[in-house]
């Protein structure tokens, strides 16, 4: 028997109501949730979809996460680090094609030379991507893992103003099962708090469909985003990588992880309302139309891949990464088409800050 849905027009959902939303399987109920999330998005944030050119600047990583394809003990990955010249050139290209913002993502490293180089590169990008239509240069989002508060501050002062650090799951025992013992849930929470106190717009997120994860856990994840007053969300289905300890652990059918992935976007939109939510590549790995569907379920950000083709194949956090063999140009064109197909407008030459953050300041 189909269970009744909670009132989707309310603005304060309980844990139990979020679980109810995540549990729907009937197509007409899924459509009700989708339509309600789309309505909240259009009312709160409008129909724009913001682009962030994604530069995977290095796959060297000190971590050994049990799920991740670039974990340090995966010897079949060829390690690379792009030079400052290459990163600045990619950033300039991003500005020229109208992306407005970039994301610099790397494996986690905390050594001095890595941080010094990153700081210098950020300073150069801010200088060298100024355009008439972008007087302050590109918006820069960092995704370079757990760092000290001092490092976060230096990188903020250099010009990065957004930071993504996924909590991966807010269930501490599940977190412990998918990470080595030296990675600690509380450390990640304190990093998120430090980033907020410095003044970054802060993004976090989780993997969906992890082995042993429940809808209770996922509802708690959404309430955690709310409690921490998070500005941006990036989350996607877990996709097992064969070269990792979780590569063969049963985690539910792909279609099920896709359904949950889309419902998580919709539920997050219904609860958090004015944050930015990314349509992530992991969704597209499970369904060629995954990103387009994500827009229709409440996502409003997309990250077109800009990493050059050689290194790109060595940045596979999970197998089946989309756009692996396509040029940055065709990636851009395909994403623009999926935005239009979802009835939305591509926003160019804008930082595209989350309203949730700009309303606070
Ligand atoms: N499946 C899905 N997402 C993954 N990530 C890493 N490995 C996987 C995987 N196997 C995600 C993590 C990380 C982000 C950069 O990529 O959530 O924070």
């Amino acid at each position: 028997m189909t269970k009744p849905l909670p009132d989707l027009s309310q603005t304060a959902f309980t844990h139990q109501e979020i679980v109810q939303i995540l549990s729907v399987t009937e197509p007409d109920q899924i459509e009700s949730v989708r339509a309600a999330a789309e309505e909240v998005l259009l009312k709160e944030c409008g129909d724009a979809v913001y682009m962030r050119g994604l530069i995977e600047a290095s796959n060297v990583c000190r971590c050994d996460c049990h799920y991740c394809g670039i974990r340090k003990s995966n010897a079949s990955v060829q390690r690379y680090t792009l030079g400052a010249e290459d990163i600045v050139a990619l950033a300039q290209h991003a500005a020229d094609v109208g992306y407005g913002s970039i994301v610099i993502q790397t494996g986690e490293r905390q050594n001095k030379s890595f941080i010094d180089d990153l700081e210098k590169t950020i300073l150069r990008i801010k200088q060298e991507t100024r355009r008439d239509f972008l007087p302050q240069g590109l918006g820069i989002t960092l995704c370079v893992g757990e760092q000290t508060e001092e490092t976060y501050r230096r990188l903020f002062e250099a010009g990065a103003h957004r930071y993504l650090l996924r909590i991966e799951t807010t269930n501490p025992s599940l977190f412990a099962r998918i990470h080595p013992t030296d990675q600690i849930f509380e450390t990640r929470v304190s990093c998120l708090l430090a980033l907020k106190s410095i003044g970054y717009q802060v993004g976090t997120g989780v993997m969906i469909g992890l082995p042993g994860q429940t809808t209770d856990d996922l509802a708690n994840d959404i309430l955690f985003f709310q409690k921490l007053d998070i500005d941006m969300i990036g989350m996607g289905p877990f996709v097992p990588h064969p070269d990792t300890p979780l590569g063969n652990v049963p985690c539910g059918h792909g279609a099920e992880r896709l359904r949950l992935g889309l419902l998580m976007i919709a539920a997050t939109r219904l609860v958090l309302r004015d944050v930015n939510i990314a349509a992530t590549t992991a969704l597209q790995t499970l369904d060629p139309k995954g990103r387009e569907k994500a827009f229709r379920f409440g996502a409003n950000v997309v990250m077109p891949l800009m990493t050059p083709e050689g290194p790109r194949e060595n940045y596979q956090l999970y197998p089946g990464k989309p756009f692996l063999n396509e040029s940055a140009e065709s990636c851009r064109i395909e994403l623009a088409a999926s935005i239009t197909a979802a009835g939305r407008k591509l926003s160019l030459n804008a930082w595209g800050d989350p309203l949730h953050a700009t309303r606070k300041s």
Side-chain angles (χ1 to χ4, degrees), residues 67-68 105 166 168 207 237-239 317-318:
Y67 45 85
C68 181
Q105 188 178 79
R166 289 192 182 178
E168 314 297 359
M207 285 178 286
F238 166 62
V239 185
L317 309 179
Y318 44 82

Side-chain angles (χ1 to χ4, degrees), residues 62 108 110 146-147 152 165 167 175 181-194:
R62 70 184 194 107
E108 185 173 298
Q110 298 174 330
E146 293 179 6
Q147 303 290 344
Y152 285 147
L165 181 68
I167 193 74
F175 186 98
T181 46
D182 61 348
Q183 274 175 260
I184 296 162
F185 177 76
E186 285 75 17
T187 308
R188 207 157 283 200
V189 176
S190 46
C191 284
L192 289 168
L193 296 175

